[in-house]
């Protein structure tokens, strides 16, 4: 599954260093490729907080402070977080009441926080270590497309 996704992202971002179209196309690929997903997209760090970036799915909350919710926690700790049941995650921000599980991967370029990749599912426990690792490959590929 992720080999195919990484290949698609590789092909569609080939030769393009602008972040916005690369993230927009990746959100589309993830949303349409991954089963049982109701939101796939990005929040970008503006040096103060996370701000909504390109995504597929229902409209989402626009600003998330570092350390808040799953996205803000993953950004602050710079670590991938897999949440089996969002109702059990302290401070989870419910953008879509249908979401039950979530995975968030930080985007780091040249040692700096760029933002996070966030994927949500209406199913409990939808995301595994395989998803975390696959999405980390996608995040690393996207960061490698940015100018050095
Ligand atoms: N649930 C996230 C907020 C972003 S939306 O799911 C798109 C969180 O707790 O950080």
């Amino acid at each position: 599954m992720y080999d195919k996704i990484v290949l698609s992202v590789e092909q569609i971002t080939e030769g393009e260093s602008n972040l916005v179209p690369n993230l927009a196309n990746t959100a589309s690929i993830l949303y349409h490729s991954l089963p049982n997903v109701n939101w796939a997209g990005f929040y970008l760090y503006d040096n103060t907080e996370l701000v909504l970036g390109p995504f597929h799915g229902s409209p989402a909350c626009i600003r998330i402070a570092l350390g808040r919710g799953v996205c803000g926690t993953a950004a602050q700790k710079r670590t991938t977080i897999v949440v089996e049941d969002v109702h059990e995650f302290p401070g989870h921000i419910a953008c879509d009441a249908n979401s039950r599980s979530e995975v968030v991967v930080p985007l780091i370029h040249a040692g700096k926080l760029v933002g996070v990749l966030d994927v949500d599912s209406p199913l409990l426990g939808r995301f595994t270590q395989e998803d975390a690792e696959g999405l980390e490959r996608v995040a690393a590929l996207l960061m490698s497309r940015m100018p050095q």
Side-chain angles (χ1 to χ4, degrees), residues 39 43 60-61 64 68-72 91-95 102 118 120:
W39 202 89
Y43 280 86
C61 43
I64 298 176
R68 282 206 57 229
V70 187
C71 290
H92 170 256
I93 302 161
C95 289
E102 176 163 3
D118 179 15
D120 292 357

Side-chain angles (χ1 to χ4, degrees), residues 8 26 41 56 59 69 96-97 111 122 136-137 140:
S8 301
T26 302
H56 262 53
D96 183 338
E136 282 170 356
R137 285 169 64 196

